[in-house]
Amino acid sequence: MDVLESLPQQLVYGLALGSVYAMIALGYSMVYGVLEFINFSHGEVFMVGAFASLLTLTALTGIGGVVSWGPVLLLLMLLAAMVASGALGVAVERLAYRPLRRSSRLAPLISAIGVSLILQNIVMLLQVRFQGDSRPQFVAAGEVVPAGGWDVLGVRISHTAGLVFGVSIVLMLALGALVTRSSLGRSMRATAQDPEVAGLMGINVSGVITRTFLIGSGLAGAAGCLVALYYTQIDYTMGFSAGIKAFAAAVLGGIGSIRGAMAGGLVLGVTEAFAATFMSAAYKDLIAFALLVLVLAIRPAGLLGRKTLERV
C-alpha cells in the first residue's frame, strides 16, 4: 500500500527527470534531422553548461554579493549556461564536424567520440586543479530556488522540481514554435529534406547547420543548469550518463523528431522513477533500456517516428 501511495510522488520526480532528458534529447534529434549523424559529444556540452552555471552563481554571490535576488540569479545562470554551451556546440561543429561533412558517416562518429573524451578530460583536469577530489557543490542554491514547495492533491512538488519541469516545458514549446513557424525553422526543414536543393534555393546550408548546433547545445546547457540546481552537485562524468540516457530517449521517441524527443524523455524519466519504486534503484537503468528495446522491437521507428524518420 505504501508503494501505491508513493506513485503520484514518483510521477512528479519522473516528470522532472524526464523533462531534462527531453531537453538534451532535442539536441540529438535536431542534429540527426539535419545531418543524419549522432553527436556523441552532446552530453559533455550539457556538462559544460552545468559548470558554467556554477561559475556564474559563485561569481554573483561571492564577495560583496553582486546579485542576491533569486529570479535574477536564475535568469543569469540560465543565460550563462546556454551561451557557454551554445558557443561550445558551434566551436565543435566548425572544428570537428564541418571538415568531415563530406566524409563517410563513420568519420564524424569517431570524431564525436574523440571530442567527448577531450572535453571530459579538460573539465576533469580543471576540476582536480581547483576542487581536488571533491565534487563541486551549489552551496548557494537556496538563494536561487527557495526551499519548500506546494502540496497538490497530497503530492509534494518542490520549488526546484516545479522549476525544472516548468522551464523545460517553456523552452521545448519555444523550440517547437521556432521550428514550425519561423523562417529559420523552414530553412532547417528544407536542409533536412535535401541540403543540395536547399542550397540551390538560396538557403545558407552551413549557417543553418551552425544555428542548429547553437540551439541544440543551448538547450543542453539550460538542462545542465537545471540539473545542477536540482541535485546541487555536479561532476565532469555527469555528461556521459545523461548523454546516453538522452540518446536513448531520442531513439525511444523517434530519432529526428522534435515531438518524439520530448515524449521519449518524459517516458524514460517516468519509467526510471517507477522502476526505483517497485524495484531497487539499482535496476532503474535496466528497466529503462529494456523498455527501449521492447518499443523498438515493436515499432522500430520509435513512439512518434515514421517508417521514414520525421526530421526537424
Side-chain angles (χ1 to χ4, degrees):
M1 187 63 181
D2 291 338
V3 172
L4 294 178
E5 289 177 352
S6 68
L7 285 182
Q9 189 67 61
Q10 293 301 320
L11 178 63
V12 172
Y13 295 149
L15 289 175
L17 179 62
S19 61
V20 171
Y21 288 158
M23 290 180 66
I24 308 172
L26 285 170
Y28 283 112
S29 285
M30 290 179 67
V31 171
Y32 184 87
V34 173
L35 291 178
E36 287 194 334
F37 100 95
I38 303 300
N39 177 18
F40 279 114
S41 67
H42 195 60
E44 275 57 50
V45 173
F46 153 81
M47 176 264 294
V48 168
F51 274 88
S53 63
L54 171 62
L55 292 174
T56 303
L57 177 62
T58 303
L60 294 178
T61 59
I63 299 175
V66 180
V67 178
S68 59
W69 193 42
V72 175
L73 273 173
L74 174 64
L75 179 60
L76 293 176
M77 288 170 62
L78 278 171
L79 287 175
M82 295 178 74
V83 169
S85 293
L88 178 60
V90 170
V92 168
E93 188 274 328
R94 286 181 176 271
L95 298 175
Y97 302 150
R98 183 175 296 188
L100 303 175
R101 195 176 295 169
R102 299 186 181 277
S103 304
S104 66
R105 294 190 180 184
L106 185 60
L109 177 62
I110 296 173
S111 179
I113 296 173
V115 170
S116 173
L117 294 173
I118 290 171
L119 292 175
Q120 188 177 128
N121 279 272
I122 288 175
V123 177
M124 177 193 70
L125 293 173
L126 292 174
Q127 179 178 323
V128 171
R129 171 67 176 81
F130 294 103
Q131 291 284 334
D133 295 331
S134 62
R135 300 176 66 182
Q137 297 188 9
F138 274 57
V139 293
E143 299 182 27
V144 183
V145 185
W150 308 275
D151 289 313
V152 181
L153 299 177
V155 178
R156 184 65 172 175
I157 304 176
S158 67
H159 289 149
T160 310
L163 172 71
V164 170
F165 187 69
V167 172
S168 60
I169 291 298
V170 168
L171 291 176
M172 287 187 286
L173 291 176
L175 174 64
L178 174 70
V179 170
T180 57
R181 300 180 183 179
S182 68
S183 59
L184 175 58
R186 289 191 291 271
S187 298
M188 286 180 178
R189 298 198 303 274
T191 302
Q193 187 70 29
D194 193 321
E196 294 184 1
V197 173
L200 293 174
M201 294 175 63
I203 294 175
N204 183 354
V205 173
S206 292
V208 168
I209 293 173
T210 297
R211 280 175 281 182
T212 299
F213 271 85
L214 175 66
I215 295 170
S217 299
L219 287 174
C225 175
L226 295 174
V227 165
L229 287 172
Y230 192 70
Y231 292 105
T232 69
Q233 282 190 337
I234 58 177
D235 189 73
Y236 65 90
T237 61
M238 63 184 289
F240 176 78
S241 58
I244 293 295
K245 294 288 185 62
F247 174 64
V251 175
L252 176 65
I255 190 72
S257 168
I258 297 296
R259 291 172 296 171
M262 296 168 62
L266 294 175
V267 169
L268 196 65
V270 171
T271 300
E272 284 193 13
F274 283 177
T277 301
F278 287 104
M279 303 174 66
S280 169
Y283 294 106
K284 62 184 179 66
D285 291 346
L286 171 64
I287 298 301
F289 284 102
L291 173 66
L292 172 65
V293 172
L294 178 62
V295 170
L296 294 182
I298 299 173
R299 187 174 174 80
L303 293 173
L304 298 182
R306 301 175 180 175
K307 290 183 179 179
T308 300
L309 292 179
E310 176 192 353
R311 301 216 187 151
V312 175

